[in-house]
């Protein structure tokens, strides 16, 4: 029997079938695009009322799809994605290293992952949202080489992006050791959360209803919109869109949160170093002058 997304098969291998786990229909894309597209309004344009209206329209459309019998549990899963977005939208996601800012990020982003997880686990009584840190399989040579590639690509590309576009100024000026330490904690925390929410929650829920490529495009809309508000603006989407797509596809192949987390941390280590370098000229390891 072909495995579904609920039974992905042995860790580290692609599922035998890319078919959605639940009954679906092409019309399901309409509510999914509305729900995921609301992120553009909520985080890209900072228009909460319009964003909430778009979420409501998407959930209504999902209810109609389920009611018609064309789809199964589409409303339930899109509602979890919508709840997460609403929670995030309750606070500014602009980079802030103050005590209040870091507490705000911790509480809001924590709830954005926790609330959908608890609803799924204890209200829906499902185990769709999981956080598979370890798969029991060793990383192969290709995976190790990819980690090296990500680090080198970040070292080459990120200084040019942050410095020439000036977006490093979207992060607070960091010159003192305590400020640099706060930045490091923030980068690690947000990078970790990205994988917990966008990959293990949004992407996984969407894959129950859509082929991987469609689910990946949809989660990328939410991922990139959030990163825009965080500070990756100017021509940042030229970097964040492929990054989000590759992270989703990598998770699909490896089934390993631990691996995509490692990829993200290596990339974010370069982000951290570039932001500090742009503000202080240290560490002098990049080709482009600050």
């Amino acid at each position: 029997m072909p495995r579904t997304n609920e039974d992905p098969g042995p860790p580290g291998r692609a599922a035998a079938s890319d078919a959605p786990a639940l009954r679906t229909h092409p019309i399901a894309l309409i509510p999914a695009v509305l729900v995921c597209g609301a992120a553009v309004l909520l985080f890209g344009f900072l228009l909460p009322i319009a964003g909430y209206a778009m979420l409501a329209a998407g959930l209504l459309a999902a209810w109609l799809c389920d009611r018609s019998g064309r789809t199964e549990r589409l409303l339930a899963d899109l509602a979890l994605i919508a709840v997460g977005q609403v929670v995030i939208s309750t606070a500014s996601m602009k980079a802030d290293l103050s005590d209040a800012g870091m507490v705000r990020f911790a509480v809001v982003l924590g709830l954005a992952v926790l609330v959908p997880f608890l609803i799924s686990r204890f209200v829906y009584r499902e185990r769709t949202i999981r956080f598979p840190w370890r798969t029991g399989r060793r990383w192969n040579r290709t995976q190790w080489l990819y980690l090296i590639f990500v680090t080198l690509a970040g070292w080459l590309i990120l200084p040019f992006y942050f410095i020439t576009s000036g977006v490093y100024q979207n992060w607070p000026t960091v010159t003192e050791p305590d400020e640099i330490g706060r930045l490091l904690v923030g980068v690690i925390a947000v990078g970790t959360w990205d994988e917990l929410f966008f990959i293990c929650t949004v992407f996984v829920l969407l894959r129950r209803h859509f082929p991987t490529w469609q689910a990946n495009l949809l989660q990328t809309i939410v991922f990139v919109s959030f990163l825009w508000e965080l500070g990756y603006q100017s021509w940042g989407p030229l970097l964040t869109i492929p990054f989000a797509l590759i992270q989703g596809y990598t998770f699909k192949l490896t089934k390993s949160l631990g691996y995509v987390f490692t990829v993200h941390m290596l990339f974010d280590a370069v982000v951290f170093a570039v932001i500090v370098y742009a503000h202080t000229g240290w560490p002098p390891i990049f080709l482009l002058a600050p």
Side-chain angles (χ1 to χ4, degrees):
M1 181 178 68
R3 294 186 178 94
T4 67
N5 293 336
E6 293 285 81
D7 178 22
R13 295 183 183 177
S17 171
D18 194 38
L22 301 174
R23 183 173 65 253
T24 190
H25 186 277
I27 200 172
L29 276 173
I30 295 175
V33 168
L34 287 171
V35 168
C36 294
V40 177
L41 298 177
L42 292 172
F43 313 130
F45 292 99
L46 302 180
L47 298 172
I49 302 302
Y52 297 153
M54 195 165 174
L55 286 175
L59 295 179
L60 175 60
W63 176 75
L64 292 172
C65 288
D66 282 349
R67 189 168 183 268
S68 72
R70 292 184 175 91
T71 59
E72 177 185 2
R73 298 195 60 75
L74 181 63
L75 173 61
D77 288 340
L78 291 184
L80 296 180
I81 297 172
V83 165
Q85 292 185 72
V86 169
V87 171
I88 298 167
S89 72
T90 60
S92 170
M93 289 295 107
K94 183 178 180 181
D96 183 355
L97 300 180
S98 67
D99 290 343
M102 296 188 77
V103 170
R104 182 180 71 247
F105 265 72
V107 171
V108 172
L109 297 186
L111 288 174
V113 170
L114 186 61
V115 172
F117 172 79
L118 292 177
I119 293 174
S120 176
R121 185 63 56 90
F122 298 107
V123 178
Y124 296 172
R125 298 191 179 279
E126 296 177 341
R127 299 182 65 86
T128 304
I129 301 175
R130 292 176 290 181
F131 308 107
W133 284 100
R134 300 176 64 182
T135 64
R137 297 175 64 90
R138 292 184 177 182
W139 297 347
N140 59 39
R141 180 180 299 178
T142 301
Q143 289 173 293
W144 284 106
L145 290 175
Y146 179 62
L147 296 180
I148 296 172
F149 169 78
V150 166
T151 306
L152 291 176
W155 178 75
L156 287 171
I157 298 170
L158 290 175
F160 182 78
Y161 164 60
F162 275 93
I163 294 172
T164 62
S165 68
V167 296
Y168 71 90
Q169 298 176 78
N170 291 337
W171 280 259
T173 301
V174 288
T175 56
E176 300 300 321
D178 66 314
E179 296 170 337
I180 294 173
R182 284 170 175 265
L183 176 64
L184 178 60
V185 170
V187 168
I188 292 173
V190 174
T192 302
W193 177 86
D194 286 343
E195 302 305 324
L196 298 179
F197 183 70
F198 299 115
I199 301 301
C200 290
T201 302
V202 177
F203 180 55
V204 166
L205 289 170
L206 290 168
R207 281 196 67 207
R208 295 195 346 139
H209 304 274
F210 305 101
T212 296
W213 71 271
Q214 292 179 355
N216 208 14
L217 286 172
L218 289 167
Q219 70 86 13
T220 294
I221 295 172
V222 188
F223 201 158
V224 172
S225 298
F226 171 82
L227 292 179
W228 178 274
E229 182 179 358
L230 186 65
Y232 292 84
Q233 299 177 7
S234 184
W235 51 275
L238 294 179
L239 300 178
T240 56
I241 289 173
F243 179 76
L245 289 170
I246 292 171
Q247 285 294 89
Y249 187 66
T250 300
F251 183 75
K252 187 259 184 182
L253 290 178
T254 65
K255 310 295 186 295
S256 171
L257 173 58
Y259 186 74
V260 294
F261 168 79
T262 302
V263 171
H264 202 135
M265 287 301 100
L266 288 172
F267 199 77
D268 277 358
V270 181
V271 169
F272 163 74
V274 170
I275 294 174
V276 174
Y277 175 72
H279 285 295
T280 67
W282 181 91
I285 59 174
F286 300 106
L287 301 177
L288 188 66

